[in-house]
Amino acid sequence: MLVRMAAVRPGVPTMVDATLADIRLSAEWLGAPPQPGDLVDVEMDIDDVLGWGKTIAMAGTESTLRDGPRLHGVVEHHEQQVLTIRIDVGLLQAELNDGPTAIPSGTAVLVVVEHPKLYPTDV
């Protein structure tokens, strides 16, 4: 996934403000610190299990979701508790603790991104 860096806050952990698929989010950065304005290819990890109706919902039913940055995506694959979502040009795999037993590919969803971690892939 491509993110644009808005700000870098050095420390332990290093935190960044970034834009992913036109959504601003704050994330923990794992790698050499980027510069504000950089466009960086990253892998994203959400340090939470998604809860249906709390941190993930089908588009159009998102009124029950918690506050926070919401990424729009489309389900690529759903197998047991692992959901693969296409967000922009990247894929996000997340663990789902409840909800529908089968979410068809192509289903539009919104995901509240809490505690994300970004890993640069061009290292």
Side-chain angles (χ1 to χ4, degrees):
M1 290 184 214
L2 289 175
V3 296
R4 173 137 346 250
M5 295 299 125
V8 179
R9 297 186 302 275
V12 180
T14 299
M15 299 297 291
V16 297
D17 293 326
T19 302
L20 169 62
D22 296 327
I23 302 298
R24 296 239 352 190
L25 55 94
S26 180
E28 182 176 344
W29 184 263
L30 294 124
Q35 296 297 312
D38 284 355
L39 186 61
V40 183
D41 189 22
V42 299
E43 288 187 18
M44 182 173 67
D45 181 29
I46 298 175
D47 209 10
D48 275 329
V49 175
L50 299 179
W52 199 260
K54 296 176 186 118
T55 52
I56 185 169
M58 288 184 196
T61 64
E62 65 270 8
S63 62
T64 62
L65 294 179
R66 293 183 195 163
D67 288 336
R70 296 178 182 189
L71 294 176
H72 299 261
V74 176
V75 173
E76 284 280 317
H77 186 71
H78 181 210
E79 186 173 333
Q80 296 178 11
Q81 292 179 296
V82 177
L83 189 62
T84 304
I85 304 166
R86 177 164 300 285
I87 298 172
D88 201 22
V89 296
L91 295 174
L92 170 67
Q93 267 193 334
E95 187 177 349
L96 183 65
N97 72 351
D98 57 4
T101 56
I103 305 170
S105 296
T107 301
V109 293
L110 275 84
V111 179
V112 176
V113 183
E114 296 178 323
H115 316 293
K117 294 181 180 180
L118 297 177
Y119 302 83
T121 59
D122 56 352
V123 177

